[in-house]
Amino acid sequence: MSLDFQTSPDPAAWLDDVLAAFNCQTGTLHKADGGFLDLVVAKGVPDFLLPKISRIPFGKGIAGAAAERREPVELCNLQEDLGDVARPDARQTQVSGSLAVPVFAPDGERVLGTLGVGMHAPHDFSADEKARLAAIATQVGAVWSAN
Protein backbone atom coordinates (compact mmCIF):
# COMPACT_ATOMS: atom_id res chain seq x y z
CA MET A 1 0.00 0.00 0.00
CA SER A 2 1.26 3.41 -0.86
CA LEU A 3 -0.22 6.67 0.36
CA ASP A 4 0.90 9.87 -1.31
CA PHE A 5 2.56 11.84 1.47
CA GLN A 6 4.51 13.94 -1.02
CA THR A 7 1.47 15.87 -2.23
CA SER A 8 0.17 16.96 1.18
CA PRO A 9 2.28 18.60 3.86
CA ASP A 10 -0.48 17.96 6.42
CA PRO A 11 0.35 15.16 8.92
CA ALA A 12 -3.30 15.17 10.09
CA ALA A 13 -4.37 14.25 6.55
CA TRP A 14 -1.71 11.54 6.46
CA LEU A 15 -3.03 10.06 9.68
CA ASP A 16 -6.64 10.21 8.43
CA ASP A 17 -5.57 8.20 5.36
CA VAL A 18 -3.72 5.65 7.49
CA LEU A 19 -6.66 5.18 9.85
CA ALA A 20 -9.03 4.67 6.92
CA ALA A 21 -6.66 2.18 5.29
CA PHE A 22 -6.41 0.12 8.49
CA ASN A 23 -10.01 0.59 9.67
CA CYS A 24 -8.71 2.04 12.94
CA GLN A 25 -10.33 4.62 15.21
CA THR A 26 -7.25 6.09 16.87
CA GLY A 27 -3.80 7.04 15.70
CA THR A 28 -0.70 8.96 16.64
CA LEU A 29 2.33 10.28 14.86
CA HIS A 30 5.33 11.22 16.97
CA LYS A 31 8.62 12.79 15.89
CA ALA A 32 11.87 11.96 17.68
CA ASP A 33 13.78 14.65 19.55
CA GLY A 34 16.82 13.14 21.21
CA GLY A 35 15.58 10.31 23.39
CA PHE A 36 11.98 11.54 23.33
CA LEU A 37 9.00 11.34 21.01
CA ASP A 38 7.04 14.57 20.53
CA LEU A 39 3.43 14.33 19.39
CA VAL A 40 2.88 15.69 15.89
CA VAL A 41 -0.78 14.68 15.52
CA ALA A 42 -3.31 12.44 17.24
CA LYS A 43 -6.73 11.28 16.08
CA GLY A 44 -9.38 9.70 18.27
CA VAL A 45 -7.36 10.12 21.48
CA PRO A 46 -9.34 11.69 24.34
CA ASP A 47 -8.26 15.28 25.00
CA PHE A 48 -7.42 14.59 28.64
CA LEU A 49 -4.78 12.05 27.55
CA LEU A 50 -3.00 14.36 25.11
CA PRO A 51 -0.68 15.85 27.77
CA LYS A 52 0.42 12.31 28.71
CA ILE A 53 1.35 11.41 25.13
CA SER A 54 2.69 14.77 24.02
CA ARG A 55 6.28 13.86 25.02
CA ILE A 56 7.20 10.22 25.53
CA PRO A 57 10.65 8.91 26.42
CA PHE A 58 12.05 6.14 24.26
CA GLY A 59 11.21 2.86 25.97
CA LYS A 60 7.97 4.05 27.64
CA GLY A 61 4.58 2.97 26.40
CA ILE A 62 3.85 1.35 23.08
CA ALA A 63 5.26 4.17 20.93
CA GLY A 64 8.37 4.53 23.09
CA ALA A 65 8.96 0.78 23.00
CA ALA A 66 8.66 0.73 19.19
CA ALA A 67 11.23 3.54 18.96
CA GLU A 68 13.64 1.91 21.40
CA ARG A 69 13.31 -1.64 20.02
CA ARG A 70 13.32 -0.40 16.41
CA GLU A 71 10.51 -2.79 15.54
CA PRO A 72 6.70 -2.98 15.59
CA VAL A 73 5.07 -3.28 19.02
CA GLU A 74 1.57 -4.69 19.22
CA LEU A 75 -1.06 -5.38 21.84
CA CYS A 76 -4.07 -7.46 20.86
CA ASN A 77 -6.29 -6.27 23.73
CA LEU A 78 -5.03 -3.29 25.65
CA GLN A 79 -8.13 -3.37 27.84
CA GLU A 80 -7.17 -6.78 29.26
CA ASP A 81 -3.39 -7.00 28.92
CA LEU A 82 -0.93 -4.11 29.16
CA GLY A 83 1.90 -6.44 28.20
CA ASP A 84 5.30 -5.19 29.22
CA VAL A 85 4.96 -1.86 27.42
CA ALA A 86 1.62 -0.11 27.92
CA ARG A 87 0.98 2.14 30.88
CA PRO A 88 -2.27 1.81 32.88
CA ASP A 89 -3.54 5.18 31.57
CA ALA A 90 -3.51 3.68 28.08
CA ARG A 91 -6.75 1.87 28.94
CA GLN A 92 -8.52 5.22 29.05
CA THR A 93 -8.20 5.48 25.27
CA GLN A 94 -10.85 2.71 25.01
CA VAL A 95 -8.56 1.08 22.44
CA SER A 96 -8.08 -2.67 22.43
CA GLY A 97 -5.96 -3.65 19.43
CA SER A 98 -2.96 -1.38 18.95
CA LEU A 99 0.18 -1.29 16.84
CA ALA A 100 3.09 1.15 16.76
CA VAL A 101 5.98 1.09 14.30
CA PRO A 102 9.16 3.16 14.15
CA VAL A 103 9.59 5.80 11.48
CA PHE A 104 13.11 5.45 10.08
CA ALA A 105 15.27 7.87 8.13
CA PRO A 106 15.89 6.72 4.53
CA ASP A 107 19.26 5.28 5.64
CA GLY A 108 17.31 2.81 7.80
CA GLU A 109 19.47 3.65 10.79
CA ARG A 110 18.02 6.66 12.58
CA VAL A 111 14.61 6.50 14.26
CA LEU A 112 12.79 9.70 13.31
CA GLY A 113 9.58 8.91 15.20
CA THR A 114 6.71 6.47 15.47
CA LEU A 115 3.38 5.83 13.80
CA GLY A 116 0.67 4.15 15.84
CA VAL A 117 -2.86 2.94 15.18
CA GLY A 118 -5.54 1.45 17.36
CA MET A 119 -9.02 0.02 17.15
CA HIS A 120 -11.73 -0.39 19.72
CA ALA A 121 -12.05 -4.15 19.12
CA PRO A 122 -9.36 -6.64 20.12
CA HIS A 123 -7.21 -7.42 17.11
CA ASP A 124 -4.10 -9.45 16.33
CA PHE A 125 -2.32 -7.52 13.61
CA SER A 126 -1.07 -9.84 10.89
CA ALA A 127 2.47 -9.87 9.57
CA ASP A 128 1.09 -8.23 6.41
CA GLU A 129 -0.57 -5.42 8.39
CA LYS A 130 2.64 -4.80 10.34
CA ALA A 131 4.62 -4.71 7.10
CA ARG A 132 2.09 -2.34 5.49
CA LEU A 133 2.21 0.08 8.43
CA ALA A 134 6.03 -0.10 8.47
CA ALA A 135 6.06 0.69 4.73
CA ILE A 136 3.87 3.73 5.34
CA ALA A 137 6.18 4.81 8.15
CA THR A 138 9.07 4.56 5.67
CA GLN A 139 7.25 7.01 3.40
CA VAL A 140 6.76 9.40 6.33
CA GLY A 141 10.48 9.12 7.14
CA ALA A 142 11.39 10.01 3.56
CA VAL A 143 9.20 13.13 3.66
CA TRP A 144 10.56 14.20 7.06
CA SER A 145 14.13 13.72 5.86
CA ALA A 146 13.50 15.81 2.75
CA ASN A 147 12.28 18.76 4.84
Side-chain angles (χ1 to χ4, degrees), residues 30 37 56-70 73 100 114:
H30 285 85
L37 296 167
I56 301 170
F58 275 39
K60 297 291 183 183
I62 298 168
E68 181 180 69
R69 295 177 186 176
R70 304 171 54 84
V73 173
T114 59

Side-chain angles (χ1 to χ4, degrees), residues 1 30 38 53 58 62-63 67 73 75 83-84 95 118 121 133 138 140:
M1 162 196 267
H30 285 85
D38 291 327
I53 66 167
F58 275 39
I62 298 168
V73 173
L75 287 174
D84 63 343
V95 167
L133 193 61
T138 297
V140 172

Side-chain angles (χ1 to χ4, degrees), residues 83-97:
D84 63 343
V85 295
R87 304 192 49 87
D89 287 341
R91 286 192 171 122
Q92 296 177 30
T93 62
Q94 300 303 309
V95 167
S96 287

Side-chain angles (χ1 to χ4, degrees), residues 62 65-66 69-74 99-102 130-131 134:
I62 298 168
R69 295 177 186 176
R70 304 171 54 84
E71 64 185 27
V73 173
E74 167 192 17
L99 173 65
V101 297
K130 291 175 192 175

Side-chain angles (χ1 to χ4, degrees), residues 25-38:
Q25 294 78 47
T26 65
T28 58
L29 182 62
H30 285 85
K31 199 166 196 178
D33 177 21
F36 290 89
L37 296 167
D38 291 327

